[in-house]
Amino acid sequence: MTPPAREENVRPYGDKKGDGAVQVSFTLPVAKSAAATEAAKRYVAKMGLREPYVTLAESIAPEFTYFIVYARATHDVDMAGIVAEEAPAAALGREEIDRELSRRFGRRIVVLGCALESDAHTVGLDAIFNMKGYAGDYGLERYGAIDARNLGAQVPVAEVVRLVRETRADAVLVSATVTQNEIHVRHLTDLVDMLEAEGLRDRVVLIAGGARVDHALAKELGYDAGFGPGTTASRVAAFLLEELSRRAATASPA
Amino acid sequence: MTPKLGLSAAQIARCRDLAIEVAAGVRRETERFTTVSTERTVLRLLGVDGVDGNEVPIPNRVVASLEAAGRLGRGAAVWMGSALAAGAADSTAAAALLSDPARARALPEHPRWRDAVAPLVEATLARIRANRAERERRLAAHPPDELPLLYAIVATGNIHEDVVQADAAARAGAQCIAVIRSTAQSLLDHVPYGATTSGFGGTFATQENFRLMRAALDRLEPELGRYVRLVNYCSGLCMPEIAAMGALERLDFMLNDALYGIIFRDINPLRTLIDQNFSRRINAVAGVVINTGEDNYLTTADAVEQAPAVLASQFINERLARDAGLADWQIGLGHAFEIDPELEDGLLHEIAQAEAAREIFPDAPLKYMPPTKHMTGNVFRGYQQNALFALTSVMTRQHIHLLGMLTEALHTPFLHDRWLAIEQAKTIRRNARHLADEIEFRPDGRIVRRAKEVLDGAETILRRVAGHGLFAALADGVFADTRRPRDRGRGYDGVVRRDDAYANPFLEAWSQTPAEANA
Ligand code: B12
């Protein structure tokens, strides 16, 4: 038996507190054999899991065996020490955001949206921009105080930079869906680099979004915020309101 | 197969008549043009291949040079023939001469250019015929395939790694292997050369990669006791070139939609519709089954709302395909299981749409695509969505079944994702083997009503498209809610007006063999 978790610490729960029940599945590049199953158990042990129960060892190709293993985790995590990275923004409704944007800026905020270079996925971007919106939350085009310009997908980085200059954009929203071989990191970084090179980086709020994007990653790449799955336009608009206000406050020496 | 939905044969015939009008309009608007990609294809078919020191393919060099010399409008074949007749030793030497715009401009059109290219044309036609005969021979050597054909995707980016994955999938039961192309290859205005080992979300389609995968699948044939089909994508800016490479390397299926590149890649409509015709002619003679891409409409727009647009597009794709000489057994019309799983009776809608496609296109090897849009990180729910899809596929006698991956929302499939998918589809295919024979639908029931509604909707759309023309419909956003004006989009600058003496010996050879059976 594994020792029970400390009160404030957590550990996976199967059918009783502290049992550490987990399920893992993976393929080893070896032919199926008793030795392969033993290797799977040892592999799982190295993950810090005890009592491995190999429920499936299946030859899925001549030199590959697929395993499903149930086991018990012994380690735990201290909830107290955790601060989750999320784009900071109060939950506000569309009307309120619109009202505040007009009141504070007295003009329409120009927001560009795009997916970069080779990325042809538009559905996530459209969910944030289109009138219709997403999950019952209207898109940015519905906001009176926002001049929302959805440039669509496959937009070259240089073109975005040109449009930032030309439209005097307040914000650029980038959607990144294809992440294989870290291609999104490359394109997102290219945009930051080019904006910096042109002296435009500080003039715009830069936001990234996509199924594999989160706030921490976006910050790391030099963006102001990042939004992942399930994002709605009003959350993004609320962040824009806060960030633009913060910038206005620091820019104008009272 | 007895129809079960009671759809009106007269209404289906009306839809086909409207599609004829649509296709006639397309022909009228495109027949005065050729494209840089079509001419590069002619060069490839005449044996021009390879790249220069800067990795620029020789067919691109020649076409760029002919364009600069103002001579592309007559057709690349005329100048290849003239160069040969004037003394160039072979197609390589002729291409070298034509790659220099000054020499291309100075070269007179030779009165006997046709005689000079004739042996090259005949050699290529013979190779394509031989490939087709070999496929037929190999298929005939084994028992008939179990249907639906299980179709798996590999997409590692590295052709050698793809071979490992394809080998595993085929052994597990996959009957078709598709090598997904690298992200945005469709936007390249050239075809990369040689074996490739890096790509994003897929592997570059190159002739050498085709050859390597073909050889790997052929090696498996004796051991598996069946022929494994190889699939690639002839879409995008190099659509006909890839069709040519596929014909030369004995690919079996080609994704080849008339509208996909326009709608999803913002490729110019004129360019695409010209190129699709030539690529389909190649596929027709090569005995390739094309797969159309209507499934994609359902990923951007709502699957219930878009069902009539899918059916309308199938009628148009069918007509354009027949006009390019494809027989019905070669027209793998696409559709998909993409309805939101939260919807009540969603499965009934799916069955209605799949059965309607089956009955309306009885001889087409329908390509049925799995859920993708509503797949989420809940892989267990995803596995269940895929099971409903596989059941619908067997129950409505689909022909090509693209395996649904439980990790669709996460990544291109891992080795065991694919294995799980094959196991699932095999289990369902076995368990429901004769389900289709046992089923009848209530004449006044939900499934029959839905099928009729979709057909009505398709007729309305076709009427509108026939009235305004396909180009106007594309500009209006009739398909997948996406607007594509005729003179915009990528590759428009590669559309070239034919001059009066334009010639393309391959088009001429293939236009003489329309599929009379479908007239
Ligand atoms: C639809 C789709 C397509 C359509 C796209 C059509 C279109 N116009 O968008 C088509 C068929 C064209 C397509 C093609 C390809 N696709 Co695709 N596609 C999908 C699919 C099925 C759904 C994506 C989607 O629309 N989700 C719905 C939206 C609403 O969700 P979302 O994008 O996450 O958006 C939300 C949040 O992330 C966020 N958000 C997103 N963007 C932004 C931006 C900002 C600024 C903010 C604030 C928030 C935000 O808010 C949104 C709403 O909550 C996924 C699989 C899946 N189920 O996820 C694969 C998928 C994304 N595709 C994939 C691939 C590889 C491709 C191809 C490269 C395949 C190929 N080799 O040909 C091609 C090429 C495309 C290209 N050049 O980019 C992979 C990506 C793998 C990876 N992680 O790299 C996936 C995961 C499928 C897979 N398992 O292989 N695809």
Side-chain angles (χ1 to χ4, degrees), chain A residues 118 120-123 175 179-180 210 231, chain B residues 180-181 201 300 372 408 411:
Chain A
S118 57
H121 293 87
T122 54
V123 181
S175 184
T179 60
Q180 211 193 24
T231 304
Chain B
I180 299 286
R181 290 194 302 176
T300 38
T372 61
E408 171 62 34
H411 48 235

Side-chain angles (χ1 to χ4, degrees), chain A residues 114 118-129 134 154 172-180 183 207-212 226-232 236, chain B residues 155 180-184 200-202 233 260 264-265 296 299-300 338 372-376 407-413:
Chain A
C114 62
S118 57
D119 203 328
H121 293 87
T122 54
V123 181
L125 183 67
D126 289 344
I128 305 299
F129 272 78
Y134 183 71
Q154 303 181 157
V172 181
L173 273 54
V174 185
S175 184
T177 301
V178 180
T179 60
Q180 211 193 24
I183 193 170
I207 298 177
R212 291 281 197 96
F227 292 88
T231 304
T232 49
V236 182
Chain B
I180 299 286
R181 290 194 302 176
S182 181
T183 303
F200 297 99
Y233 292 65
Y260 174 87
F264 296 97
R265 288 291 189 279
N296 292 291
T299 62
T300 38
E338 287 279 19
T372 61
K373 182 180 179 177
H374 295 287
M375 295 295 280
T376 65
T407 49
E408 171 62 34
L410 316 183
H411 48 235
T412 47

Side-chain angles (χ1 to χ4, degrees), chain A residues 27 58 60 64 154 180-181 212, chain B residues 199 201 410 412 416 419 490:
Chain A
T27 296
E58 182 79 37
I60 63 169
F64 293 96
Q154 303 181 157
Q180 211 193 24
N181 296 346
R212 291 281 197 96
Chain B
L410 316 183
T412 47
H416 46 254
W419 179 80
R490 296 179 164 74

Side-chain angles (χ1 to χ4, degrees), chain A residues 132, chain B residues 298 301-310 339 349 353 450 454 457 461 481:
Chain A
K132 195 163 106 189
Chain B
L298 307 176
D302 180 79
V304 175
E305 267 170 36
Q306 283 284 314
V310 166
I339 295 175
H349 278 69
Q353 288 163 213
R450 170 65 183 164
V454 173
I461 294 172
D481 290 346

Side-chain angles (χ1 to χ4, degrees), chain B residues 40 43-44 48 50 56-66 99 189-191 238 241:
Chain B
R40 294 195 303 251
L43 290 166
R44 286 183 184 277
V48 178
V56 178
I58 305 301
N60 287 64
R61 287 285 310 271
V62 174
V63 162
S65 161
L66 287 173
S99 295
D189 214 341
H190 70 274
V191 183
C238 296
E241 288 181 273

Side-chain angles (χ1 to χ4, degrees), chain B residues 300-345:
Chain B
T300 38
D302 180 79
V304 175
E305 267 170 36
Q306 283 284 314
V310 166
L311 182 53
S313 168
Q314 288 171 331
F315 277 115
I316 296 171
N317 253 318
E318 176 192 60
R319 188 65 252 166
L320 291 170
R322 286 176 172 181
D323 286 353
L326 286 151
D328 282 3
W329 65 266
Q330 293 178 286
I331 308 175
L333 298 170
H335 62 136
F337 189 99
E338 287 279 19
I339 295 175
D340 186 346
E342 297 298 321
L343 189 79
E344 186 175 65
D345 286 332

Side-chain angles (χ1 to χ4, degrees), chain B residues 483-503:
Chain B
R483 292 168 193 276
R484 299 299 188 204
R486 178 197 152 101
D487 54 354
R488 296 259 282 282
R490 296 179 164 74
Y492 184 44
D493 54 1
V495 176
V496 179
R497 187 170 287 277
R498 294 180 179 184
D499 70 35
D500 292 338
Y502 175 81

